[in-house]
Amino acid sequence: MRRRDFLRGVGAAGAAGLAGCAGLVRTRAANVPPVIENRPNAVYVPSHVEAMKVSGVASAGAYRCALTYSFPHRFWTVSIDRTERVSIREDDAVHLMPVVWHAETGVVPVTTNPKIEISEGGETVTSLSPWPMLSQPMGYHFGDNVELPGDGTYDVTVRTGAISAATDALAADAATFEFEFDYARETVRDIEFTTYPDEQGSTGAVPPMEMETVPTSQVPKPDALPGRPLGAATSGDAVFVATAMEDATPFGGTAEETYLAVSARTPYNRFVLPMMSLSATLERDGETVFEGSLSTALHSELDYHYGASVPSVDAGDVVRLAVDVPPQVARHEGYETAFFDVPPVEIA
């Protein structure tokens, strides 16, 4: 199911809440809970999650962009299989997050690589390239903590690169989105966050945000993927759903070939797991039909996925998947220990 329901009423800016939160709601004035000790090497319930606000929505061609923000918070960057915590700095004003999506389908492309320039009175205040990130309430997005000199109205320009690896109408050239951002310390300080004192550290996840104006990076449910379903498997908390499309032409193959597509997602919330190196082996009657790396691609029905053109996929074939490099995205709390130890998995 596509996400057009999220797109109704786009243009109204406001706060984004969380569904089903049973924790204690506080404000930024309260102390942020410390990092949980003895965290599992899996997806776990964080100590807290932050609400966010939408400053505005702009359009460029087939895409829209929402400038969203929350109060500064800690996160972890990833380098191959190592993480490094980024702590909140004293002068950090907001955590700024531009969210770009395809207006018709609601697909949130992974490959926009936005660049942000913030100015005031024609003078540049700061410029940055935000991190690609995973958050339990928000899913995949770009974000970073930003310093600002004080209260005021800032001009924010978000420039995105061409939508690469797109196979259909999702393809687009580079785009520019313009915003006015009214920043006030008091407004940011009063953004709510929810704590989970009883559930924190246990395996599981908090629910996704309910956002009236902005879609999330949830990928389609397994039965909503196009093609012939091959099955699903879980390894290291990463969920892999495979499907076969008989005509590989849209993906650079031939009409006689089959396109083997693998959708990788988080457990619980079905958020896309991007920017990993994934390889596959297709075996038939003990013989190898295909062996190699899967390329990343973006498709309006498959969303972001990994795939390859193969001679065919027949009943009784076995697909073996191996994660050669884990997802190279920064993580918010609850994801920073997961998706690193992912043993090979088999889909029969």
Side-chain angles (χ1 to χ4, degrees):
M1 181 181 70
R2 305 316 304 153
R3 296 180 289 275
R4 288 188 177 89
D5 289 345
F6 285 102
L7 308 181
R8 296 171 184 163
V10 167
L18 286 170
C21 290
L24 175 65
V25 177
R26 300 180 178 178
T27 67
R28 181 65 183 92
N31 292 327
V32 175
V35 176
I36 300 169
E37 296 182 359
N38 302 318
R39 293 162 290 165
N41 293 324
V43 177
Y44 69 90
V45 177
S47 63
H48 70 288
V49 295
E50 306 89 353
M52 76 175 195
K53 290 192 173 183
V54 181
S55 177
V57 178
S59 298
Y63 281 84
R64 289 177 177 162
C65 177
L67 185 66
T68 73
Y69 66 97
S70 183
F71 54 80
H73 48 252
R74 62 187 176 232
F75 58 89
W76 286 258
T77 59
V78 172
S79 178
I80 308 299
D81 59 355
R82 304 171 71 91
T83 61
E84 182 176 352
R85 192 172 96 184
V86 178
S87 300
I88 302 170
R89 298 166 298 190
E90 183 178 354
D91 293 332
D92 284 336
V94 293
H95 188 81
L96 202 60
M97 300 164 287
V99 181
V100 178
W101 71 94
H102 187 253
E104 181 180 353
T105 63
V107 170
V108 178
V110 169
T111 58
T112 53
N113 298 319
K115 297 184 183 302
I116 302 174
E117 182 176 314
I118 302 174
S119 60
E120 184 180 29
E123 297 293 329
T124 300
V125 173
T126 187
S127 57
L128 64 146
S129 297
W131 296 95
M133 292 183 159
L134 275 177
S135 157
Q136 286 193 13
M138 195 173 177
Y140 180 84
H141 64 284
F142 290 86
D144 202 355
N145 295 334
V146 177
E147 297 180 8
L148 294 173
D151 294 359
T153 299
Y154 295 88
D155 294 315
V156 179
T157 301
V158 177
R159 293 184 175 89
T160 62
I163 308 299
S164 61
T167 59
D168 54 11
L170 298 181
D173 295 330
T176 300
F177 304 90
E178 302 283 353
F179 302 91
E180 280 192 353
F181 176 41
D182 293 322
Y183 167 71
R185 292 183 181 88
E186 289 297 325
T187 301
V188 175
R189 187 177 295 120
D190 290 338
I191 293 176
E192 294 177 343
F193 69 92
T194 304
T195 60
Y196 297 89
D198 298 327
E199 300 88 355
Q200 65 177 27
S202 60
T203 55
V206 301
M209 282 183 171
E210 290 183 347
M211 293 184 280
E212 295 180 358
T213 59
V214 185
T216 63
S217 60
Q218 284 182 304
V219 291
K221 295 179 180 179
D223 59 4
L225 290 171
R228 176 162 45 94
L230 303 179
T234 300
S235 179
D237 260 9
V239 180
F240 302 96
V241 182
T243 187
M245 301 181 70
E246 302 306 328
D247 183 359
T249 304
F251 307 94
T254 67
E256 292 72 31
E257 292 178 309
T258 297
Y259 186 67
L260 172 64
V262 178
S263 175
R265 69 273 306 277
T266 66
Y268 313 114
N269 288 344
R270 222 175 358 106
F271 289 136
V272 64
L273 275 180
M275 301 173 64
M276 70 171 75
S277 178
L278 187 66
S279 57
T281 302
L282 178 65
E283 292 186 358
R284 180 178 305 147
D285 299 327
E287 295 187 358
T288 299
V289 177
F290 169 83
E291 184 175 18
S293 298
L294 300 182
S295 300
T296 58
L298 188 66
H299 183 266
S300 57
E301 293 183 271
L302 289 167
D303 209 310
Y304 181 93
H305 64 282
Y306 305 83
S309 299
V310 301
S312 65
V313 179
D314 299 341
D317 288 358
V318 176
V319 178
R320 291 189 173 87
L321 301 173
V323 174
D324 303 310
V325 179
Q328 297 298 289
V329 291
R331 321 286 182 85
H332 289 228
E333 185 177 338
Y335 281 147
E336 81 281 4
T337 58
F339 316 126
F340 289 106
D341 183 13
V342 186
V345 71
E346 182 178 291
I347 298 176

